[in-house]
Structures are given as structure tokens and as C-alpha cells.
């Protein structure tokens, strides 16, 4: 019985109602508040450029007129609407498709009438050819009297995003600063569906919900036809099985082509904690079969047995040579205090040949190089490899603390697995055990684990260990940076969260997660990491093991865990490698190097043949 239902369901999506009636289209629509963009004095032309590659739906359409938003028509002496394949110079050349002048007394404005001005062409105009490289300019020209108040032409505002050449002012592109021009074209075409609504795909490839629960989620739709949308019927298919049809009546009609709107979607999640193929479709519009070819979307619905505990990681690019990097030191400390064990910080030192704490496998990775290039240098960071920002200011500012808002956002993102890590010393090796417990079953896996060992309180004697600090004496920075504002140009510090070993930096360790996934059944990754020759190892008691679960398909870190590396049976502190010429070195249990060896200290003897002997006195 399922197959006939599915065939019927798919056939409904391909039927189209009668088409051909005009509909308003533009990069701006009346649901978006128009804001003043350009002052018009003298004679100026405004418009946008359409091309067949980016505006395929308009290929072969006819233009019946246009409407645009102006603040006050009182100073407008003459007005024209036009379509032109070529650019023109007003007064010497004219639009080569159509130029139509309108009686300015018939124009509307936003100040007096509260609606756009409209100009209709005497006859429909072929708008855009069907050739691959077809293009056309559409717009209007205003002649405004001098000496009076200028007439403002309105736009959608830069917060609406930009489309290339969607605001042309005398052939200059202005969309990057003011957003799309508040203008629409009245178009018609037999290729446009009469009743059509498209589903706007969600950005996420997966939707994570608790098994057996009922949910209501917002679904974004787009008018894809010529008839105003008054009602929509929605249907969900899980693994090909249709769920009950949901009828949605819109509070008010949507009447502009490509205008978006949201509707609630009811969803009953199956009780089995598994991954499901989920399709969402608009089966009918206004009681008629949906004529849009984009009337459905699909992603993976993951039914979770329980909600995993989500943690977030900051991977920060820093360096002792970096004069602005003290911001990152403070930011990471504040985040750790604020979010406790739900935040993990990793301070990736590098960017200079003499950086004393550089770990080449990490700092030289494509991930770090790409992040540094996109962010323009250091300090910069990635939160869960999803959001990139300043490690102190976040996305809004460099001077004031705001990185916590980015972490708060990251912690709200759902995850599919719980993560736990434990680590112990075994002689001169660190033994790491990572338990990954997925909360759903699946036949395929697209996750891998990355491992890092970080060290705290790293310090050194040379000048390369001094932190360069340009915050000295700054008066316009957050008081949380006072340690460095009141500090010195060069400061000797103890550095924390420094990676001294890493594996799987780019996309995780191959084979660290294996299929099939079984809900609530942990997978273990065991690693033994030799540390005797690690040049960055100073204190054995101040190490942490970090495990990061990476979604290979998106590159995002979906969960992270951190654990202190246990001291094991001896709890011995490993010496600093800052004095390679010494043949014998002595260390107290807290890691201080001393000149003689009383009872209870660690003695390191470096022999001429290159061997090393360690022991307690």
C-alpha cells in the first residue's frame, strides 16, 4: 500500500495550476521595511541588473511595469520607467528596450501615501532572454527640482544581505552599503506556476529530536507562483511512509513572487532511536496541486534516545610575539570561569619561527592556516569550528568582552553523542581512553575523533617567552583587561591551554568511529602517547587530554570532553627541556629545577651516548 501512496504523493508535486497572470517580483518585497538610501537631486537613474544565470525564473518573462519607494514626491518634476540591455547616458543616449514617462501627479510616496510609486508600461515588454548570458537593466529615472528638500530613494537596508548589482545608482553598485533597491517588477510568464509554494531547505543536513516526542517546528516557505497564497497543505514522509496531511491557513495572503513566510510543522518522532530519511512537501496551495518544482525538501531526522550533554571548544590562534594576543589570554580565562566544564580552551601558539610553544602538526595544519587567513591574523579563534570570532570580543567588538555570547550560542546547538575521556600516566607514556556514546542507531557514520594533550603553566627564561603587549595604557578597552592595560610592554607569563601533542587535526583520526552506530552503546578509542621526547613537556601534573568529535561532512566539532592526566603511581614531575646542555638536572615534586638533589627529588642524567636515565633520590 505504501508504493501507490508514494506515487500519488509525488505526482501531486508535478501538477501545475493555470499560470500567466502578472505578479510582483524583486530583491525587496513589501514585508521588508524600506529605509532611506540615496538623496536624489537633479536627474538620476536607479535600477538593478538581471541575468539569466542568476535569475533563471525570469527568463522568457514579460514586464508590465515596476514600483519603487520614495520618501516625498513633492520635489519630483519628471519620472520615467525603463528597460535597457545596454547602459545609457541620460541626455545623450536612451534605454534601448523601453522608456516610459509617467504623470508625476499619479505617483505615490511613503510620507504622504504610505505605499510605493507605480509605473505601468503601455504594453508588456519582453524582459530577459533565455540565452545563457542574457542580461538586462531595469529601473527608473527621477528629475528632482533643485533648492528644495531632496527626494530620498529607499532600499531594504544592508541587514537584508546583498545581491550583486541589486542597487544601481547612475550605474554604480551601492547594494553593499544600503542593501537591495526597494523596487519590484510586475512580471508574467506561462512558465510560472499559478499556485506554487517552494520549501526553503534548512541549513542543517540533520535534525535532532527526542524519540517518541511530539514537536512543532517552523518551516520556511517561498511563494513560487503567480496566485496569492492563502492556504497550504503540508505532508511529512519518514522513510517513505506518509504522515497525516497538515492544513495551514495563512493569517494574510502572500502575494509577491519569492516572498518568504513561515508556518508551523507538526512532527511526531518515532519511538525507535534511529536515523530516518525525512521529506517535507507542500502538496497543495489554495486547495490546488502545488505547481512548484521546489515544493519539497529532505534531510535526516535523528531520533535520540536521550539528550547528550553538549560542550564547546575554542581553538585560538595566539603567540608570544603577537602584540594583541593578551586579549585571547583573558578571554579564555573568563570563558573557563563562566562555563566551567562545559567549555574547553586550546591556545594554539605559532605564526613565527621562534615561537617557543609551537606544535607544528597543529599550527601548520590547513585548519589553522585557513582560520588565520579568513580572520586576518591573530588573535582569532573558532568555536566548535562553526563560528569564527575574536577570542575576547566575540563578533561585535575587539575592545569589550563578548566571546561568551558566541559560546552560549554554540552550547545551544544539538549534538548526537555523549563524550567522555580519561587519561593516565603509564611510565613515560600517556594512556588515553575516549568513550563516544551515540544516542541513535545508524548503518553509516560520518564522525571522527581528534585528540589533543594540553599543558598549563608553561614558562621559560629566554626573551622568546616574553609576551608582547600593546594594551599598555589603553583607555578605551574593557577593564577586564586591566592586568595588561596596567602591565608592561613585555611580560613574563605562565601559559595555559597550550597543545603539546595532537592527532587528527584536520578531520579526525581515520577509523576512530566505526559503523554501525548502536544507540547507547559506547565506542572506545584507546591511544598510548609517548612523552619522553616531547620538547614542550614541563610538568606531568598539569596536563589535560582533550577529545573532539568532528562531523566530517560539515567540519564542525559536535562535542568535546577534557580530563586531567592522572599522575599514576609516582606523580613525578618531568623536567623542562629549556636546558639541553646540562648533563644532570634535579627537580622538586612541584617542577622547580634545583642545584642539588636532597631526598625525594627527581634526578635526570643525560649521557654522552644520548641515553637518558631518570630516578628518585
Amino acid at each position: 500500500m505504501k508504493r501507490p501512496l508514494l506515487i500519488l504523493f509525488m505526482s501531486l508535486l508535478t501538477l501545475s495550476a493555470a499560470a500567466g497572470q502578472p505578479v510582483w517580483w524583486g530583491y525587496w518585497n513589501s514585508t521588508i521595511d524600506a529605509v532611506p538610501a540615496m538623496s536624489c537631486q537633479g536627474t538620476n537613474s536607479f535600477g538593478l541588473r538581471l541575468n539569466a544565470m542568476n535569475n533563471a525564473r525570469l527568463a522568457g518573462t514579460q514586464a508590465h511595469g515596476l514600483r519603487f519607494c520614495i520618501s516625498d514626491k513633492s520635489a519630483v518634476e519628471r519620472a520615467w520607467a525603463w528597460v535597457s540591455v545596454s547602459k545609457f547616458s541620460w541626455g545623450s543616449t536612451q534605454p534601448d528596450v523601453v522608456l516610459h514617462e509617467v504623470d508625476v501627479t499619479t505617483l505615490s510616496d511613503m510620507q504622504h501615501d504610505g505605499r510605493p510609486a507605480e509605473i505601468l508600461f503601455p504594453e508588456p515588454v519582453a524582459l530577459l532572454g533565455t540565452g545563457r548570458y542574457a542580461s538586462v537593466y531595469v529601473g527608473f529615472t527621477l528629475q528632482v527640482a533643485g533648492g528644495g528638500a531632496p527626494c530620498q530613494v529607499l532600499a531594504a537596508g544592508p541587514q537584508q544581505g546583498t545581491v550583486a548589482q541589486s542597487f544601481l545608482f547612475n550605474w554604480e553598485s551601492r547594494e553593499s552599503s544600503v542593501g537591495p533597491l526597494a523596487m519590484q517588477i510586475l512580471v508574467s510568464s506561462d512558465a510560472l506556476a499559478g499556485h506554487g509554494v517552494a520549501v526553503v531547505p534548512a541549513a542543517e543536513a540533520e535534525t535532532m529530536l527526542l524519540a517518541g516526542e511530539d514537536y512543532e517546528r517552523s518551516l520556511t516557505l517561498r511563494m513560487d507562483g503567480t496566485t496569492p497564497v492563502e492556504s497550504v497543505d503540508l505532508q511529512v514522509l519518514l522513510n517513505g511512509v506518509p504522515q497525516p496531511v497538515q492544513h495551514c491557513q495563512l493569517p494574510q495572503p502572500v502575494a509577491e513572487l519569492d516572498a518568504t513566510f513561515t508556518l508551523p510543522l507538526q512532527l511526531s518522532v518515532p519511538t525507535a532511536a534511529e536515523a530516518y530519511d525525512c521529506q517535507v512537501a507542500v502538496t497543495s496551495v489554495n486547495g490546488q496541486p502545488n505547481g512548484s518544482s521546489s515544493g519539497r525538501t529532505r534531510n535526516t531526522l535523528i531520533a535520540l534516545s536521550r539528550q547528550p550533554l553538549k560542550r564547546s571548544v575554542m581553538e585560538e590562534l595566539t603567540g608570544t610575539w603577537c602584540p594583541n594576543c593578551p586579549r585571547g589570554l583573558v578571554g579564555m580565562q573568563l570563558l573557563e570561569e563562566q562555563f566551567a566544564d562545559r567549555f574547553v580552551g586550546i591556545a594554539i601558539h605559532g605564526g613565527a619561527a621562534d615561537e617557543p610553544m609551537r606544535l607544528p602538526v597543529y599550527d601548520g595544519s590547513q585548519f589553522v592556516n585557513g582560520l588565520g587567513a579568513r580572520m586576518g591574523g591573530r588573535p582569532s579563534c573558532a568555536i566548535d569550528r562553526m563560528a569564527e570570532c575574536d577570542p575576547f570580543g566575540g563578533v561585535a567588538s575587539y575592545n569589550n568582552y563578548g566571546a561568551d555570547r558566541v559560546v552560549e550560542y554554540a552550547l545551544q546547538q544539538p549534538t548526537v553523542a555523549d563524550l567522555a575521556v580519561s587519561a593516565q600516566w603509564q611510565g613515560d607514556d600517556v594512556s588515553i581512553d575516549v568513550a563516544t556514546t551515540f544516542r541513535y542507531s545508524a548503518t553509516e557514520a560520518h564522525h571522527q575523533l581528534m585528540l589533543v594533550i594540553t599543558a598549563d603553566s608553561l614558562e621559560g627564561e629566554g626573551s622568546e617567552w616574553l609576551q608582547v603587549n600593546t594594551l599598555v595604557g589603553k583607555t578605551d578597552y574593557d577593564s577586564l583587561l586591566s592586568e595588561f592595560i596596567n602591565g608592561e610592554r613585555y611580560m613574563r607569563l605562565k601559559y595555559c591551554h597550550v597543545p603539546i601533542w595532537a592527532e587528527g587535526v584536520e578531520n579526525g583520526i581515520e577509523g576512530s568511529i566505526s559503523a554501525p552506530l548502536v544507540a547507547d552503546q559506547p565506542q572506545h578509542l584507546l591511544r598510548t602517547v609517548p612523552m619522553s621526547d616531547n620538547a614542550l613537556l614541563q610538568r606531568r601534573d598539569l596536563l589535560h587530554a582533550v577529545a573532539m568529535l568532528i562531523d566530517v561532512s560539515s567540519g564542525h566539532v559536535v562535542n568535546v570532553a577534557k580530563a586531567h592526566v592522572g599522575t599514576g603511581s609516582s606523580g613525578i614531575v618531568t623536567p623542562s627541556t629549556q636546558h639541553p646542555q646540562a648533563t644532570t638536572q634535579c627537580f622538586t615534586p612541584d617542577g622547580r629545577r634545583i642545584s642539588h638533589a636532597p631526598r625525594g627529588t627527581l634526578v635526570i642524567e643525560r649521557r654522552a651516548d644520548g641515553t637518558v636515565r631518570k630516578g628518585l633520590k
Side-chain angles (χ1 to χ4, degrees):
M1 187 62 184
K2 294 178 184 177
R3 183 174 178 80
L5 285 174
L6 181 59
I7 293 174
L8 174 61
F9 171 79
M10 298 298 291
S11 66
L12 289 175
L13 297 176
T14 60
L15 296 177
S16 176
Q21 65 188 63
V23 62
W24 288 107
W25 175 90
Y27 294 121
W28 167 88
N29 63 69
S30 60
T31 65
I32 302 171
D33 290 335
V35 296
M38 300 293 300
S39 294
C40 182
Q41 288 186 317
T43 302
N44 294 282
S45 296
F46 302 83
L48 53 86
R49 179 178 181 267
L50 306 176
N51 63 74
M53 295 183 67
N54 296 326
N55 306 104
R57 67 162 59 250
L58 299 182
T61 60
Q62 290 186 315
H64 298 260
L66 54 86
R67 62 184 179 187
F68 51 89
C69 294
I70 54 177
S71 61
D72 185 357
K73 66 181 181 182
S74 60
V76 177
E77 295 180 329
R78 301 181 71 181
W80 298 264
W82 45 261
V83 177
S84 185
V85 173
S86 304
K87 294 181 179 179
F88 55 86
S89 176
W90 194 264
S92 58
T93 58
Q94 297 295 320
D96 52 25
V97 177
V98 65
L99 175 64
H100 176 62
E101 185 172 3
V102 66
D103 181 355
V104 294
T105 62
T106 65
L107 292 181
S108 301
D109 63 22
M110 303 305 292
Q111 179 176 322
H112 300 96
D113 307 301
R115 62 180 185 272
E118 291 187 7
I119 300 179
L120 299 181
F121 299 134
E123 299 290 339
V125 178
L127 182 61
L128 186 63
T130 56
R132 182 179 180 185
Y133 300 105
S135 65
V136 68
Y137 298 94
V138 183
F140 58 94
T141 298
L142 300 178
Q143 180 179 308
V144 178
C151 176
Q152 291 278 352
V153 175
L154 278 55
Q159 72 278 1
Q160 298 297 332
T162 60
V163 181
Q165 294 190 310
S166 61
F167 191 128
L168 293 175
F169 169 65
N170 293 337
W171 310 117
E172 294 181 6
S173 297
R174 298 298 178 93
E175 61 278 342
S176 61
S177 59
V178 299
L181 179 63
M183 187 190 87
Q184 292 179 304
I185 309 169
L186 188 62
V187 299
S188 67
S189 170
D190 290 338
L192 293 174
H195 300 273
V197 168
V199 182
V200 179
E204 300 81 13
E206 298 175 338
T207 300
M208 285 150 272
L209 300 171
L210 287 177
E213 298 288 336
D214 291 332
Y215 285 88
E216 180 180 294
R217 301 178 66 84
S218 293
L219 182 67
T220 302
L221 304 172
R222 185 184 75 244
M223 180 171 163
D224 199 25
T226 60
T227 304
V229 180
E230 299 180 3
S231 68
V232 169
D233 287 344
L234 304 173
Q235 188 165 53
V236 175
L237 284 84
L238 295 177
N239 288 348
V241 179
Q243 308 300 302
V245 173
Q246 303 171 43
H247 180 76
C248 303
Q249 193 73 32
L250 275 62
Q252 58 185 24
V254 175
E256 296 162 306
L257 190 63
D258 283 348
T260 58
F261 56 100
T262 59
L263 291 177
L265 177 67
Q266 308 294 330
L267 185 62
S268 294
V269 184
T271 57
E274 299 175 4
Y276 297 86
D277 175 66
C278 180
Q279 296 189 52
V280 179
V282 178
T283 58
S284 64
V285 180
N286 303 328
Q288 302 295 318
N290 185 17
S292 173
S293 61
S294 304
R296 64 182 181 273
T297 187
R298 68 190 307 168
N299 70 349
T300 300
L301 170 64
I302 296 179
L304 301 171
S305 61
R306 56 176 290 183
Q307 191 69 52
L309 175 63
K310 177 70 165 68
R311 303 182 186 90
S312 287
V313 60
M314 171 192 280
E315 295 172 276
E316 180 214 4
L317 307 189
T318 186
T320 59
W321 57 270
C322 170
N324 294 312
C325 283
R327 289 203 315 265
L329 296 174
V330 177
M332 195 170 291
Q333 178 184 349
L334 293 170
L335 291 168
E336 195 168 57
E337 294 172 356
Q338 185 172 346
F339 296 102
D341 64 348
R342 296 196 66 191
F343 171 81
V344 176
I346 301 176
I348 308 167
H349 284 253
D354 61 347
E355 171 57 50
M357 291 167 282
R358 182 176 186 265
L359 182 64
V361 70
Y362 211 154
D363 183 63
S365 66
Q366 293 181 11
F367 161 69
V368 168
N369 291 334
L371 174 62
R374 290 189 298 273
M375 295 299 294
R378 303 174 186 232
S380 57
C381 73
I383 308 294
D384 291 346
R385 299 195 177 182
M386 173 190 63
E388 297 176 353
C389 63
D390 182 82
F392 179 78
V395 296
S397 168
Y398 294 118
N399 299 13
N400 298 293
Y401 181 53
D404 56 335
R405 291 190 287 273
V406 185
V407 175
E408 286 172 352
Y409 171 80
L411 287 173
Q412 293 172 4
Q413 305 310 303
T415 186
V416 293
D418 280 303
L419 206 60
V421 60
S422 61
Q424 294 289 333
W425 280 101
Q426 291 185 347
D428 290 333
D429 302 335
V430 172
S431 176
I432 303 174
D433 180 2
V434 183
T436 308
T437 306
F438 287 89
R439 299 303 179 185
Y440 73 105
S441 297
T443 57
E444 298 180 351
H446 54 87
H447 297 82
Q448 301 289 1
L449 288 167
M450 172 183 167
L451 298 180
V452 185
I453 294 178
T454 64
D456 290 340
S457 293
L458 292 185
E459 57 183 330
E461 299 296 331
S463 60
E464 69 274 12
W465 287 84
L466 293 173
Q467 177 63 56
V468 183
N469 172 32
T470 58
L471 301 182
V472 179
K474 297 287 186 181
T475 59
D476 56 344
Y477 275 66
D478 198 310
S479 61
L480 292 169
L481 298 168
S482 59
E483 175 187 355
F484 294 97
I485 293 174
N486 300 323
E488 300 175 349
R489 171 69 178 177
Y490 300 95
M491 300 180 66
R492 192 166 298 281
L493 305 174
K494 292 185 177 181
Y495 301 91
C496 296
H497 313 103
V498 180
I500 65 172
W501 174 89
E503 184 179 4
V505 173
E506 302 295 357
N507 292 301
I509 302 167
E510 186 70 27
S512 55
I513 298 295
S514 58
L517 306 180
V518 180
D520 304 324
Q521 180 175 308
Q523 292 193 29
H524 285 269
L525 175 67
L526 304 177
R527 273 293 189 272
T528 299
V529 184
M531 299 296 289
S532 58
D533 295 330
N534 193 306
L536 292 173
L537 178 62
Q538 292 185 5
R539 293 185 55 169
R540 293 166 64 107
D541 61 334
L542 293 179
L543 301 186
H544 290 88
V546 177
M548 298 156 61
L549 184 63
I550 299 176
D551 184 336
V552 178
S553 60
S554 67
H556 297 166
V557 176
V558 298
N559 216 343
V560 62
K562 181 177 78 170
H564 178 257
V565 178
T567 56
S569 59
S570 66
I572 298 172
V573 177
T574 300
S576 166
T577 58
Q578 299 164 32
H579 307 280
Q581 303 303 319
T583 56
T584 302
Q585 299 172 335
C586 306
F587 298 86
T588 63
D590 64 359
R592 291 182 295 106
R593 184 168 180 265
I594 54 180
S595 58
H596 64 286
R599 187 173 180 82
T601 59
L602 173 67
V603 178
I604 307 296
E605 180 184 357
R606 304 180 187 274
R607 297 176 177 176
D609 61 3
T611 61
V612 178
R613 181 182 179 184
K614 305 179 183 180
L616 283 175
K617 180 175 180 180

